[in-house]
Amino acid sequence: MNGFSLSRWFGIIGKEFIQLKRDRLTFGMIIGVPVMQLLLFGFAINADPKNLPAAVLSADNSPYARTFIRAMENSGYFRGVVQVAREDEAEDLIAHGQVQFVVNIPENFSRLLVRGEQPQILVEADATDPSATNNAIGALQVLAATALARDLAGPLGAASPSPAPIDLRVHRRYNPEGISAYNIVPGLLGTILTMTMILMTGLAVTRERERGTFENLLATPALPIEVLTGKIVPYIMIGLIQVGLIFLASQFVFNVPMKGNPVVLFFVVLIFIAANLTLGITFSSIARNQLQAMQMTFFFFLPSILLSGFMFPYRGMPEWAQWLASILPLTHFLVLVRGIMLKGNELHELWPQIWPILAFMLVVILLGLRFYKRTLD
Amino acid sequence: MNAGTEFAIDVRGLNKHFGPKHVVRDFSLQVRAGEIYGFLGPNGSGKTTSIRMICGLLTPDPGSGSGTCLGYDVLRETAAIKREVGYMTQRFSLWEDLTIRENLNFVARMYGMKHRREAVDGALERLGLQSRANQLSGALSGGWKQRLSLAACLLHQPRLLLLDEPTAGVDPKARRDFWEEIHALAADGLSVLVSTHYMDEAERCHRLAYIAYGKLLATGTAAEVVSSQKLHTYAVTGPNLAYLSTALRALPGVGQVTPFGNTLHVTGQDDSLLRDALAACASDAAYRVEPIESTLEDVFISLMAGATDNFVEQ
């Protein structure tokens, strides 16, 4: 009697399409997410980062040293190789993350080289993200063997010893053993906070709207600032509990070093939480229901996790993607957390990464105020 | 209330657009202090929007009128209005995942009440819900939810109650109890504006206003509203009323033909045309035709039919 009815079945399919068409945001997500993933995975993400900033501290201004530096640039792995004169200058650059490598060429480099005594070149690599440096270090090793081949040909050919003319020593700073957990665990702090802070606050406000209780809240003398901040505070606490858990795990389970000041870390975490909460609130004032708030969160979370340097090296991406990533708070937060935990950065050194988060927050607050409605109109 | 203010609500010429939709048009309303004022109109006629404008939840279109609620300016003093008005939304809008006591306690806090515990205990006692105070409010039946909502609105001792279709989906007994309470509150000096679809409820109000498609069409006591429309109504009994009603509707002068069980109420504004129509169709001895008093419902249906739906027009 009641068998499978094709016309009934098509009716259900038709209704589903009509509803999909009405829900613009979902429809946008269906198109937008694949496009975004294609762009990010296809063009932006590069597991073999090139054009890494490097500094050279050269005590030997010989043609050989210059040849080596030029060969570094030509390899494609290094970019804008800057010459620094003093050791503390080089130290500053690497500590602040402005360069990924410092190449030290010793005083007697050319003399030893010509004598065939395998002069040492010390390469300091910022190994907070091991995956970002490994390939470049590999390339350096090849350079050490080949870069000076032409210079050492002819009468000096004899000076070219068979293993390599240069003894390349690599010093992986901040993470000598190249342990991925050192990079991932502090990074998780940022991604988990991003996800929960935006989602929880987004849902908290849209839930009130969806259930009609928001109208009740608005009819009371409660001020918008009371409602908003009052709804946020519990989630700040949740965020701090998450931070505490991850931090404890990083110390006692993964043995990630904590070189910096925990108070500084706490301060930076608070700023980051605040930035994400403002975004969550803004999403919730745009979204009409909980589903939309969730979709918006996801749409923000995806580039955050892919572009920020959490999953793939930030410097491996083309410039446009780096520029895009530098808008995202997570990008800066990752540098901050790794800087504090692994490098022991102090607050004054962190400002270049803090102000972009504050700027992001300010813009989002201004947007949110435009959308937040005191009344229901 | 400012000294000498006679009206709990006195608004004139309020307008509200939502995008291109003119939802409320030149809305004026005077509700005297201590009065139960019924607010009627079909669905989507702008009742909820009007109520929200009165209690400061919505801002009327700028430059389109003004008014006071409890002596406070509805455009500028919304904060003061919110403190002294109890607004019960159409939909249950307390938190279903809070218990009854938690809900009342929260509302009391929102109004910054000093003796919160006593107020909440008092409200629970009046409701007769002390024993269920720790139950989630989402688990309550429709009637109890409505009583809880009313109790929550009254907690801060407002001087004006705005009730938006408070009895929708509530059984007759609960409705009667509810109205008894409203009358008791009004007797204590509370002013009440209540929107409703039920005619029996409209008749329980001291005065009425009828709004349709954003326009106020009639105001006054129930008797005044009925007589102002100058309607004539006849009750017809006899065989085959369904056929008779189709025939009558086609004739001039016949406004509404409404079946009431075994009788047909025939309503029109021109008595002589109406008599002619009845004579043409129901002259058979099998039919009994007698003039009756027009009811509020006859009047409202007539009003509704006469009003143009500006949403369809545009």
Side-chain angles (χ1 to χ4, degrees), chain B residues 277-306:
Chain B
L278 286 165
C281 290
S283 53
D284 199 300
Y287 289 109
R288 263 188 54 199
V289 179
E290 52 186 336
I292 54 167
E293 287 286 311
S294 298
T295 64
L296 260 184
E297 182 154 327
D298 296 326
V299 169
F300 288 144
I301 292 173
S302 149
L303 278 170
M304 200 151 69

Short mmCIF file of all heavy atoms in Angstrom, two decimals, chain B residues 277-306:
data_model
loop_
_atom_site.label_atom_id
_atom_site.label_comp_id
_atom_site.label_asym_id
_atom_site.label_seq_id
_atom_site.Cartn_x
_atom_site.Cartn_y
_atom_site.Cartn_z
N ALA B 277 -32.47 42.15 0.80
CA ALA B 277 -31.72 40.94 0.48
C ALA B 277 -32.31 39.73 1.18
O ALA B 277 -32.49 38.67 0.58
CB ALA B 277 -30.26 41.12 0.88
N LEU B 278 -32.63 39.92 2.47
CA LEU B 278 -33.21 38.81 3.23
C LEU B 278 -34.57 38.43 2.68
O LEU B 278 -34.92 37.25 2.59
CB LEU B 278 -33.30 39.19 4.71
CG LEU B 278 -31.96 39.18 5.44
CD1 LEU B 278 -32.06 39.90 6.77
CD2 LEU B 278 -31.49 37.74 5.64
N ALA B 279 -35.34 39.44 2.28
CA ALA B 279 -36.66 39.17 1.72
C ALA B 279 -36.52 38.37 0.43
O ALA B 279 -37.32 37.46 0.16
CB ALA B 279 -37.40 40.49 1.46
N ALA B 280 -35.51 38.66 -0.35
CA ALA B 280 -35.32 37.98 -1.63
C ALA B 280 -34.94 36.52 -1.44
O ALA B 280 -35.40 35.66 -2.19
CB ALA B 280 -34.26 38.70 -2.45
N CYS B 281 -34.12 36.26 -0.45
CA CYS B 281 -33.58 34.90 -0.32
C CYS B 281 -34.31 34.05 0.70
O CYS B 281 -34.47 32.85 0.52
CB CYS B 281 -32.11 34.94 0.08
SG CYS B 281 -31.08 35.53 -1.23
N ALA B 282 -34.74 34.65 1.78
CA ALA B 282 -35.24 33.87 2.90
C ALA B 282 -36.71 34.18 3.18
O ALA B 282 -37.13 34.21 4.33
CB ALA B 282 -34.38 34.13 4.14
N SER B 283 -37.47 34.42 2.12
CA SER B 283 -38.89 34.76 2.33
C SER B 283 -39.70 33.52 2.66
O SER B 283 -40.78 33.60 3.23
CB SER B 283 -39.44 35.45 1.07
OG SER B 283 -39.15 34.62 -0.04
N ASP B 284 -39.17 32.36 2.31
CA ASP B 284 -39.84 31.08 2.59
C ASP B 284 -40.23 30.98 4.06
O ASP B 284 -39.51 31.44 4.94
CB ASP B 284 -38.86 29.96 2.24
CG ASP B 284 -39.58 28.64 2.05
OD1 ASP B 284 -40.21 28.21 3.02
OD2 ASP B 284 -39.48 28.10 0.94
N ALA B 285 -41.35 30.37 4.31
CA ALA B 285 -41.85 30.26 5.68
C ALA B 285 -40.95 29.40 6.54
O ALA B 285 -40.95 29.49 7.77
CB ALA B 285 -43.26 29.71 5.69
N ALA B 286 -40.15 28.56 5.86
CA ALA B 286 -39.24 27.69 6.61
C ALA B 286 -38.17 28.50 7.34
O ALA B 286 -37.54 28.01 8.27
CB ALA B 286 -38.60 26.69 5.66
N TYR B 287 -37.92 29.71 6.85
CA TYR B 287 -36.87 30.53 7.46
C TYR B 287 -37.43 31.46 8.52
O TYR B 287 -38.53 31.99 8.36
CB TYR B 287 -36.17 31.38 6.38
CG TYR B 287 -35.33 30.55 5.46
CD1 TYR B 287 -35.72 30.33 4.14
CD2 TYR B 287 -34.12 30.00 5.89
CE1 TYR B 287 -34.95 29.57 3.29
CE2 TYR B 287 -33.34 29.25 5.05
CZ TYR B 287 -33.75 29.03 3.75
OH TYR B 287 -32.98 28.29 2.90
N ARG B 288 -36.71 31.61 9.57
CA ARG B 288 -37.09 32.61 10.58
C ARG B 288 -36.00 33.67 10.63
O ARG B 288 -34.82 33.36 10.78
CB ARG B 288 -37.23 31.96 11.95
CG ARG B 288 -38.67 31.60 12.30
CD ARG B 288 -38.78 31.14 13.72
NE ARG B 288 -38.23 32.11 14.67
CZ ARG B 288 -37.89 31.78 15.90
NH1 ARG B 288 -38.01 30.55 16.33
NH2 ARG B 288 -37.41 32.71 16.73
N VAL B 289 -36.39 34.91 10.43
CA VAL B 289 -35.43 36.01 10.42
C VAL B 289 -35.78 36.95 11.55
O VAL B 289 -36.93 37.37 11.68
CB VAL B 289 -35.49 36.77 9.09
CG1 VAL B 289 -34.51 37.94 9.09
CG2 VAL B 289 -35.22 35.84 7.92
N GLU B 290 -34.80 37.23 12.42
CA GLU B 290 -35.10 38.22 13.46
C GLU B 290 -33.89 39.11 13.72
O GLU B 290 -32.75 38.65 13.66
CB GLU B 290 -35.55 37.54 14.74
CG GLU B 290 -34.63 36.47 15.24
CD GLU B 290 -35.23 35.74 16.44
OE1 GLU B 290 -36.08 36.32 17.12
OE2 GLU B 290 -34.83 34.58 16.67
N PRO B 291 -34.14 40.38 13.93
CA PRO B 291 -33.02 41.29 14.20
C PRO B 291 -32.42 40.99 15.56
O PRO B 291 -33.14 40.67 16.51
CB PRO B 291 -33.68 42.67 14.18
CG PRO B 291 -35.12 42.42 14.44
CD PRO B 291 -35.45 41.06 13.95
N ILE B 292 -31.11 41.03 15.61
CA ILE B 292 -30.42 40.85 16.90
C ILE B 292 -29.41 41.97 17.09
O ILE B 292 -29.10 42.71 16.15
CB ILE B 292 -29.70 39.48 16.98
CG1 ILE B 292 -28.75 39.31 15.79
CG2 ILE B 292 -30.69 38.33 17.05
CD1 ILE B 292 -27.79 38.16 15.93
N GLU B 293 -28.89 42.06 18.31
CA GLU B 293 -27.82 43.04 18.59
C GLU B 293 -26.55 42.63 17.86
O GLU B 293 -26.18 41.45 17.86
CB GLU B 293 -27.52 43.04 20.10
CG GLU B 293 -28.59 43.69 20.95
CD GLU B 293 -28.57 45.19 20.82
OE1 GLU B 293 -27.48 45.77 20.94
OE2 GLU B 293 -29.66 45.77 20.57
N SER B 294 -25.86 43.57 17.26
CA SER B 294 -24.54 43.25 16.67
C SER B 294 -23.57 42.98 17.81
O SER B 294 -23.62 43.62 18.85
CB SER B 294 -24.03 44.43 15.85
OG SER B 294 -24.91 44.68 14.79
N THR B 295 -22.70 42.01 17.59
CA THR B 295 -21.70 41.72 18.61
C THR B 295 -20.38 42.37 18.22
O THR B 295 -20.21 42.83 17.09
CB THR B 295 -21.47 40.20 18.73
OG1 THR B 295 -20.94 39.77 17.49
CG2 THR B 295 -22.75 39.48 19.05
N LEU B 296 -19.48 42.36 19.16
CA LEU B 296 -18.14 42.89 18.88
C LEU B 296 -17.51 42.15 17.71
O LEU B 296 -16.86 42.74 16.86
CB LEU B 296 -17.24 42.69 20.11
CG LEU B 296 -17.00 43.86 21.03
CD1 LEU B 296 -16.01 43.44 22.10
CD2 LEU B 296 -16.47 45.07 20.28
N GLU B 297 -17.72 40.85 17.69
CA GLU B 297 -17.11 40.07 16.62
C GLU B 297 -17.62 40.51 15.27
O GLU B 297 -16.84 40.66 14.32
CB GLU B 297 -17.39 38.58 16.85
CG GLU B 297 -16.73 37.72 15.80
CD GLU B 297 -16.45 36.32 16.29
OE1 GLU B 297 -16.16 36.17 17.49
OE2 GLU B 297 -16.53 35.39 15.49
N ASP B 298 -18.97 40.74 15.18
CA ASP B 298 -19.51 41.24 13.92
C ASP B 298 -18.83 42.53 13.52
O ASP B 298 -18.44 42.74 12.37
CB ASP B 298 -21.03 41.50 14.06
CG ASP B 298 -21.81 40.23 14.34
OD1 ASP B 298 -21.40 39.18 13.83
OD2 ASP B 298 -22.80 40.30 15.09
N VAL B 299 -18.65 43.39 14.51
CA VAL B 299 -18.05 44.69 14.24
C VAL B 299 -16.61 44.54 13.77
O VAL B 299 -16.18 45.16 12.80
CB VAL B 299 -18.12 45.57 15.52
CG1 VAL B 299 -17.25 46.81 15.36
CG2 VAL B 299 -19.54 45.95 15.81
N PHE B 300 -15.87 43.65 14.44
CA PHE B 300 -14.46 43.53 14.08
C PHE B 300 -14.27 42.91 12.71
O PHE B 300 -13.40 43.31 11.95
CB PHE B 300 -13.71 42.72 15.15
CG PHE B 300 -13.54 43.50 16.40
CD1 PHE B 300 -13.60 42.89 17.64
CD2 PHE B 300 -13.34 44.87 16.34
CE1 PHE B 300 -13.47 43.63 18.79
CE2 PHE B 300 -13.21 45.61 17.50
CZ PHE B 300 -13.27 44.99 18.72
N ILE B 301 -15.11 41.92 12.41
CA ILE B 301 -14.96 41.30 11.10
C ILE B 301 -15.32 42.32 10.02
O ILE B 301 -14.67 42.41 8.99
CB ILE B 301 -15.81 40.02 11.02
CG1 ILE B 301 -15.18 38.99 11.96
CG2 ILE B 301 -15.85 39.49 9.61
CD1 ILE B 301 -15.96 37.74 12.14
N SER B 302 -16.32 43.12 10.31
CA SER B 302 -16.69 44.16 9.36
C SER B 302 -15.57 45.18 9.20
O SER B 302 -15.24 45.61 8.09
CB SER B 302 -17.99 44.82 9.84
OG SER B 302 -18.03 46.16 9.47
N LEU B 303 -14.97 45.54 10.32
CA LEU B 303 -13.85 46.49 10.27
C LEU B 303 -12.68 45.92 9.46
O LEU B 303 -12.06 46.61 8.66
CB LEU B 303 -13.37 46.81 11.68
CG LEU B 303 -14.14 47.86 12.46
CD1 LEU B 303 -13.67 47.87 13.91
CD2 LEU B 303 -13.97 49.24 11.84
N MET B 304 -12.42 44.67 9.72
CA MET B 304 -11.28 44.03 9.07
C MET B 304 -11.50 43.97 7.57
O MET B 304 -10.59 44.20 6.78
CB MET B 304 -11.11 42.62 9.63
CG MET B 304 -9.74 42.06 9.41
SD MET B 304 -9.30 40.92 10.68
CE MET B 304 -10.31 39.56 10.44
N ALA B 305 -12.73 43.65 7.18
CA ALA B 305 -13.03 43.55 5.76
C ALA B 305 -12.93 44.92 5.09
O ALA B 305 -12.54 45.03 3.93
CB ALA B 305 -14.44 42.97 5.57
N GLY B 306 -13.26 45.96 5.85
CA GLY B 306 -13.23 47.31 5.29
C GLY B 306 -11.83 47.88 5.17
O GLY B 306 -11.57 48.75 4.35
#
